[in-house]
Amino acid sequence: MSKSVSLHTLGCKLNYSETSTIAKQFEEKGYSIEEYGNPADIFVLNTCSVTENADKECRQIIRSVIRNNPATYVIVTGCYAQLQPEEIAKIDGVDLVLGANEKFKLFDYMDNFQKENISCIDESSYKDVKVIRKEVYELDEFVEAYSADNDSRTRAFLKIQDGCDYKCSFCTIPMARGKSRSLDISKVVENAKKIIDSGYKEIILTGVNTGDYLFEVNLPEGESLKYKLIDVLYELDKLNIERIRISSIEPNLLTDEILDLYTSSNKFCNHFHIPLQSGDSEILKAMRRRYNADFYKDLIYKINDKIQDVGIGVDVIVGFPGESDANFDNTYRFLDSLPISYLHVFSYSERRNTVAIDLPNSVDVRKRRFRSQVLRNLSNKKRFEFYTKYIGTEQEVLFETVKDAGVIEGYTRNYIRVQTPYSAGTENNIKKVKLSAADSIKPVMSEII
Ligand code: SF4
């Protein structure tokens, strides 16, 4: 009987696409894939380390898997494994800790996942746990990855970039994923074609800092050709795909050329996710972000002017060191005034080896929580206002997930989550619907027309 493996992912879409690559490697070796939660011979956790809470969740999952299935061979990889391997290795029952590069070379290190065969082959081994991990400055490989966002095989996340050269003072990602590097543009197109041939209707371009995509081809006599994100978009625009999105893009990298392409081609969805982090320029400076509030505001208005019915999601962090009530108030009023459609709110948490951890005037944790709730309420209000604008209008929805009670859900081009009664042939198809009723949190009701 073949051995089984169960995999679980925490964190960003990039992690999800990379877990798919690991799963494919197991399948090629003849392993069967078990759903997360079911017993399996091997368990792989691809971790996140964006906040202290993310680390905590990783530890809880590892402990729960070990408690429920003590015989399972436990492998932990991803950002938390790269940043804090000792913390993970200290958990009784963990068998293998793999750093960011090593997660794709699992079978180079191990082909016999037997708990009793554990050996300490690495100098940095902790107890009887094998830890294989390169230092961050050595993280220079690019491993290709793409995956479905769920079982419906309608939207695929395509990894085009990894790592980050920016130095945001709160962020550990450059330490976990290394320098910015990008996939050869011809491979991006090749992978996009594979995705299309598998029947997907939408491609979502992902990376750590996707807008920083740069692939250089050396030419004779010291010349070189540089491909940027816009060149990738031009190439993808030629393919037979219904929809393309960029998962997230830094404001300083969202160029006029990209916006022009979005207006001239019907493949690009009128939706952006643009991290802001703070609406107060003093805090943005302390965060070492590459723009101020005025720049961001002008960008949002420019996008709204150029792209009809655009949906814009915004990341924001509350409780950064030194964020006074007045600074937070500026962020609130700034976000409230902008034509945006939803927020992703994060509470600041102290991360080892960052610049921000040494900054004075730490914000009380209860205040962070309170501010986070205030912005979550604002997000609900923004979403409701955005959704309400489109009630009674006709929209195209890519239907993907069948929910309980005969209901199916999908997204409009501008990222309104929509629900409709299920009818055969709706899955993985773009249907015209009329939006009928909105709630701030729930998907908008609709009828197919
Ligand atoms: S842009 Fe800033 S926040 Fe984003 S990954 Fe890079 S350093 Fe981190």
Side-chain angles (χ1 to χ4, degrees), residues 193-204:
K193 283 181 178 162
K194 283 187 204 159
I195 288 170
I196 297 165
D197 290 345
S198 313
Y200 290 91
K201 298 279 195 306
E202 182 173 317
I203 293 178
I204 303 153

Side-chain angles (χ1 to χ4, degrees), residues 164-168 170-174 208-209 250 277 289:
C164 185
D165 295 339
Y166 285 23
K167 300 198 163 31
C168 303
F170 53 83
C171 185
T172 53
I173 295 176
V208 170
N209 188 347
E250 285 291 304
Q277 312 307 15
R289 301 287 291 166

Side-chain angles (χ1 to χ4, degrees), residues 189-232:
V189 173
E190 206 178 296
N191 286 343
K193 283 181 178 162
K194 283 187 204 159
I195 288 170
I196 297 165
D197 290 345
S198 313
Y200 290 91
K201 298 279 195 306
E202 182 173 317
I203 293 178
I204 303 153
L205 303 175
T206 62
V208 170
N209 188 347
T210 312
D212 204 29
Y213 177 94
L214 179 67
F215 184 74
E216 215 168 332
V217 177
N218 291 326
L219 299 174
E221 293 169 26
E223 300 280 304
S224 72
L225 257 181
K226 287 184 182 158
Y227 294 99
K228 295 188 168 181
L229 179 63
I230 184 68
D231 302 301
V232 171

Side-chain angles (χ1 to χ4, degrees), residues 16 75 88 94 114 120-121 123 129 136 170 183 185 252 276 288 294 298 317 328 341 350 359 370 388 399 436:
Y16 281 83
I75 302 168
I88 299 167
V94 170
Q114 294 291 332
C120 303
I121 60 154
E123 287 178 344
V129 178
V136 65
F170 53 83
L183 180 63
I185 190 161
N252 54 306
L276 166 68
R288 303 193 175 177
D294 284 342
D298 291 347
I317 297 172
F328 176 70
S341 41
E350 283 76 7
L359 292 178
F370 174 74
T388 305
F399 283 102
S436 53

